[in-house]
Amino acid sequence: MNYTHFAIIGLVVLGFSFSFAYAHTTVEVAPYEIEVGWQDEPPVVGLLNAITIHVREPGDVEGVSTGITNAFKKLEASIVSGGVSKVLDVNVDPRPGHYYAKIIPTKIGSLQVKLIGEINGVKIDTVIPIEDVESTSVLDFPQTSGSSSGQEVAALKNAV
């Protein structure tokens, strides 16, 4: 195999590793952009995390946005899982337009953030999907699967 083959294989593997990265979800509610996601990704069952919310509007300069302060003055955020929801206790981050709500996910699966109310007179009523909560197995090392223990037993038999 030559270096070209190694380079192609490396790029393919690198491409697959990036396909699993999860970005925050951004929705537009004119004139605002609202970005929602997890503080720590991937979100894992039983570990303290936070839902982050960034509210901004386009600035005077192209490509530059301005964070909206006091966005949650008349806006409520809830976390939704299936038919169950919970109102989030939204905290203000020191950066303008950045907010967060601490949460400990208790089940694996899909969650959504529901925003209802208004920002500066603009009605907001939207549901934003966020990254699925994972089991702790995504962080486990070394892996503890039945197949690896079978391999360990075989290795011990061969050693004896």
Side-chain angles (χ1 to χ4, degrees):
M1 218 181 238
N2 61 30
Y3 291 112
T4 305
H5 289 112
F6 283 119
I8 291 171
I9 291 170
L11 289 173
V12 169
V13 170
L14 189 62
F16 280 119
S17 68
F18 283 125
S19 68
F20 294 108
Y22 200 94
H24 290 193
T25 303
T26 302
V27 297
E28 290 187 27
V29 182
Y32 304 110
E33 287 183 350
I34 304 171
E35 181 181 306
V36 179
W38 290 98
Q39 179 177 330
D40 298 320
E41 294 179 359
V44 177
V45 167
L47 297 181
L48 178 63
N49 207 328
I51 303 293
T52 61
I53 304 168
H54 183 194
V55 183
R56 58 188 178 265
E57 65 183 340
D60 296 333
V61 178
E62 179 94 19
V64 177
S65 60
T66 304
I68 303 298
T69 57
N70 296 320
F72 282 87
K73 186 175 183 180
K74 295 182 180 179
L75 184 65
E76 181 178 88
S78 300
I79 189 80
V80 180
S81 174
V84 180
S85 68
K86 177 184 178 181
V87 174
L88 295 171
D89 181 21
V90 178
N91 299 289
V92 178
D93 186 282
R95 299 168 294 168
H98 289 263
Y99 304 88
Y100 68 95
K102 292 182 180 180
I103 183 172
I104 299 174
T106 57
K107 288 176 60 176
I108 61 170
S110 301
L111 295 176
Q112 299 173 321
V113 174
K114 184 173 186 176
L115 299 172
I116 295 180
E118 66 177 61
I119 301 174
N120 299 328
V122 175
K123 297 283 184 198
I124 309 290
D125 186 356
T126 189
V127 177
I128 306 166
I130 56 175
E131 184 175 3
D132 291 353
V133 175
E134 306 261 349
S135 75
T136 58
S137 66
V138 298
L139 300 177
D140 291 347
F141 183 81
Q143 292 289 330
T144 56
S145 68
S147 61
S148 68
S149 63
Q151 291 172 351
E152 292 169 0
V153 170
L156 284 174
K157 284 182 182 178
N158 290 337
V160 173

